[in-house]
Amino acid sequence: FEHIQAQIQELASMGGQAVAEAVTVKTGADLLEMSFPDNPLIGGLLDERESLLVCGPSGLGKSVLTLNMAFSLAMPPMNGLWGAFDVPRPLKTAFIQSENTAKATKKRIEKIIRANPSWRSALDRFAFPFVNDDLRLSGVLTETTFAAKVERVVEETQSDVLILDPLISYHGEDENDNAAMRRSLDALTAICDRLRVACIVVHHIGKTDDTGKATFSGRGASAIGDWCANILSMNPVLDDRGERTNIIEMRHQKARNFELRPRFYLERTADLLMVPTDDPRDKEGRERVQIVLDCLRDAGGSVESKSVLVGAVQEHTGKSRGTAQAMIADAHKRGHIVFTPGKQNREGVAFANHANFEAGNSHV
């Protein structure tokens, strides 16, 4: 009995990782004969059993961003996540977070679904663990008991994606210790591999550079960046006085198995929606897109034939048909509009974010 008890204690001290799975050896030729499904969860951003680090300065809206992501993963938009990344199928998400109370989270969700009522149907596709009537949960990933709690949440919800927010609440290490941080993050990888889920990890960046751009700082931060497969950084866009605006620059900083996407911009609305917008410094481009959106709004928010919108833009601007077509193509490229099936095999046009159209927020 004492021998068995000693073995149990040893296993617990090693974070439950002492039970090794059987190891086999395959050659490069064997590997080429193997087949693997190509089913990314978020095209260009997050594959099965991969990790995505969402990082940025404090107070920028990282938790709001991941809440918006959960809605979009549950009900994939026609033009993808933020008009930038395809979501091939509806996904379930498990939130494990330590900063926002149940009351505060409820208020956020209520505000979001007031702005986008169709998202109410997505609420059954993401979930939170409750402890003592609240949904704040923290612990250390390398500890067997907490790892078991995380696994139980994912298994009970049958989630495809696990969100941890923020990272600092789930390790007991000095973030400047590369080896210690890597052990904690490898423990998270092991959990994801066992459960076959992907993870999104929110990480606070302690400082920004002189331009307001988020940068990794310290040895620990570099270990975190090395571990994750993909990185999205959130950077505040400043006004002429150096104050933060409600526009956020999104930088796709790392993609281990995808092509990097050019930077894009999101606007955090008063309703806590994160909607695609344009670089506020590109005034001429924004004005051209705004004309397209205004014409589309005047047409009721959608048209069954693109030629109808082309004519409306021509009439509004006095420009040529080719210029109007280019303006519409630019609005589509920036993610503000989508092309839809129309009548008689014609291509129609609609707002990419119909909730914004209904709320009267069809602005760039």
Side-chain angles (χ1 to χ4, degrees), residues 15 45 61 75 78 98 115 118-119 125 127 136 140 167 189 195-196 216 229 231 245 258 279 311 335 349:
L45 188 62
M75 296 182 63
M78 187 185 308
S98 66
S118 66
W119 271 359
R125 286 190 169 270
R136 289 179 292 186
V140 177
L167 173 61
T189 298
L195 300 179
R196 306 186 70 82
F216 284 107
I231 299 176
T245 67
F258 300 110
D279 184 346
V349 186

Side-chain angles (χ1 to χ4, degrees), residues 282-359:
D282 179 18
K283 293 183 179 180
E284 182 177 347
R286 288 166 62 86
E287 289 173 358
R288 287 162 56 91
V289 170
Q290 189 63 60
I291 290 172
V292 174
L293 298 184
D294 289 343
C295 290
L296 188 57
R297 166 168 283 283
D298 291 343
S302 64
V303 292
E304 293 186 348
S305 173
K306 190 192 298 183
S307 62
V308 174
L309 184 59
V310 171
V313 173
Q314 280 187 272
E315 183 177 351
H316 184 93
T317 61
K319 302 290 186 179
S320 68
R321 181 175 181 82
T323 298
Q325 289 174 328
M327 292 170 66
I328 294 169
D330 188 37
H332 177 260
K333 181 180 179 181
R334 294 172 186 244
H336 293 287
I337 60 175
V338 293
F339 296 145
T340 60
K343 289 185 177 180
Q344 299 178 345
N345 294 323
R346 294 178 178 178
E347 193 171 49
V349 186
F351 277 95
N353 191 322
H354 192 66
N356 259 13
F357 164 68
E358 289 181 334

Side-chain angles (χ1 to χ4, degrees), residues 31-59:
L31 182 60
L32 288 181
E33 293 300 317
M34 297 175 68
S35 61
F36 302 94
D38 187 16
N39 301 313
L41 302 182
I42 307 175
L45 188 62
L46 184 65
D47 210 340
E48 296 173 310
R49 297 162 65 178
E50 277 195 348
S51 53
L52 168 64
L53 190 72
V54 175
C55 58
S58 178

Side-chain angles (χ1 to χ4, degrees), residues 51-67 69 95-100 108 162-171 175 181 185 188 199-205 216 224 227-228 230 232 234:
S51 53
L52 168 64
L53 190 72
V54 175
C55 58
S58 178
L60 199 56
K62 297 182 291 297
S63 297
V64 172
L65 182 89
T66 55
L67 192 54
M69 290 179 72
F95 277 93
I96 295 183
Q97 61 89 39
S98 66
E99 294 188 333
N100 298 297
R108 287 181 173 185
L162 166 65
I163 294 178
L164 286 183
D165 179 14
L167 173 61
I168 197 171
S169 292
Y170 302 102
H171 65 81
E175 286 196 352
M181 284 304 303
L185 293 166
L188 176 57
C199 65
I200 299 175
V201 178
V202 175
H203 182 46
H204 296 314
I205 296 298
F216 284 107
I224 297 167
W227 163 79
C228 63
N230 310 281
L232 270 181
M234 302 172 66

Side-chain angles (χ1 to χ4, degrees), residues 141-157:
L141 290 165
T142 53
E143 292 182 355
T144 308
T145 303
F146 182 71
K149 288 181 181 179
V150 173
E151 294 191 21
R152 187 163 62 251
V153 170
V154 175
E155 289 175 330
E156 287 185 5
T157 58

Side-chain angles (χ1 to χ4, degrees), residues 19-25:
V19 181
E21 296 179 357
V23 176
T24 59
V25 177

